Amino acid sequence: MSIGKVKIHAGFILLVTILVYIDQGYLLWVVFAAALLHELGHYIPLRLLGGRVARLELTGGGVGMETSQPMSYGKELLTVIAGPAASLVFALLFTVFDDMIDGQAALTGMCFSHGVFNLLPMRGLDGGRILEILLDAFGFKRTAANITTIVTAVVLGLVCGFMALRHRNVSMLLAMMYIMSSMFQQKQMQR
């Protein structure tokens, strides 16, 4: 389904449905707020550097922005790094200025984990895109990015699977499925 520049995939609707169903602590707003702050971290520098969003895709694996024109390696690198940086800066701000809003501790943790998780060197995450940009800029093939994605996904998938079985935690199974599916996603900004 498309609404203007926004394309919403069935996987996104399924993910939101699952999250609403398992959200017994009423923390879904925290997840969406952290994701919104992260995406604003990408969007603001993109606009400041002269870029325009051609399309925004909401998938089961996250949010993807495509630019309307190619960006230089430096500009794209800054735009990609800005998302996790924004998440980490907001986590720090929420830590320093505590008790501003209800649920701030949860938002702090979600911003921090969102920023760190997105720095993992996996395709479909900001860390994987950063690795691809750097490899492209220095003339290397993306084989290293593919290998890094597979190794990271397998290790994290096994850890999440082990924790899910050990602690009987459904959310860890969802994390494992997300990580394993990231191996097959290629969500990146248009060059």
Side-chain angles (χ1 to χ4, degrees):
M1 163 173 57
S2 292
I3 304 169
K5 293 182 180 183
V6 180
K7 183 174 183 181
I8 303 170
H9 293 263
F12 179 77
I13 295 168
L14 178 63
L15 177 65
V16 171
T17 303
I18 291 169
L19 290 174
V20 167
Y21 180 74
I22 67 171
D23 184 28
Q24 297 176 356
Y26 305 104
L27 292 174
L28 192 55
W29 76 269
V30 173
V31 173
F32 285 122
L36 178 65
L37 293 172
H38 177 91
E39 294 307 323
L40 282 173
H42 289 301
Y43 180 75
I44 292 170
L46 173 72
R47 294 293 295 162
L48 290 174
L49 294 169
R52 292 184 112 33
V53 176
R55 185 170 57 180
L56 185 70
E57 290 196 37
L58 304 174
T59 70
V63 178
M65 280 188 223
E66 287 186 19
T67 58
S68 56
Q69 68 268 0
M71 296 177 73
S72 69
Y73 289 119
K75 287 181 179 180
E76 187 174 357
L77 187 60
L78 285 173
T79 302
V80 174
I81 290 171
S87 294
L88 296 174
V89 166
F90 277 110
L92 179 63
L93 289 174
F94 292 142
T95 300
V96 172
F97 301 105
D98 59 346
D99 294 330
M100 291 187 319
I101 57 174
D102 287 338
Q104 187 168 332
L107 185 56
T108 302
M110 186 57 66
C111 283
F112 179 78
S113 61
H114 200 93
V116 171
F117 182 77
N118 268 283
L119 285 173
L120 291 173
M122 294 175 57
R123 182 164 278 142
L125 297 176
D126 294 330
R129 185 66 194 135
I130 291 166
L131 180 61
E132 288 177 347
I133 292 167
L134 292 173
L135 289 172
D136 282 351
F138 291 105
F140 293 104
K141 294 182 179 179
R142 293 188 182 182
T143 306
N146 293 335
I147 292 169
T148 305
T149 294
I150 292 167
V151 170
T152 305
V154 168
V155 169
L156 286 175
L158 290 172
V159 168
C160 287
F162 173 75
M163 291 173 63
L165 291 173
R166 180 168 169 84
H167 300 288
R168 296 185 183 106
N169 187 331
V170 174
S171 63
M172 293 308 296
L173 283 174
L174 291 173
M176 182 185 79
M177 290 187 312
Y178 175 81
I179 290 167
M180 298 309 282
S181 71
S182 290
M183 282 195 305
F184 304 107
Q185 290 181 347
Q186 186 167 4
K187 187 178 59 170
Q188 57 185 286
M189 285 189 244
Q190 183 179 342
R191 292 209 52 77

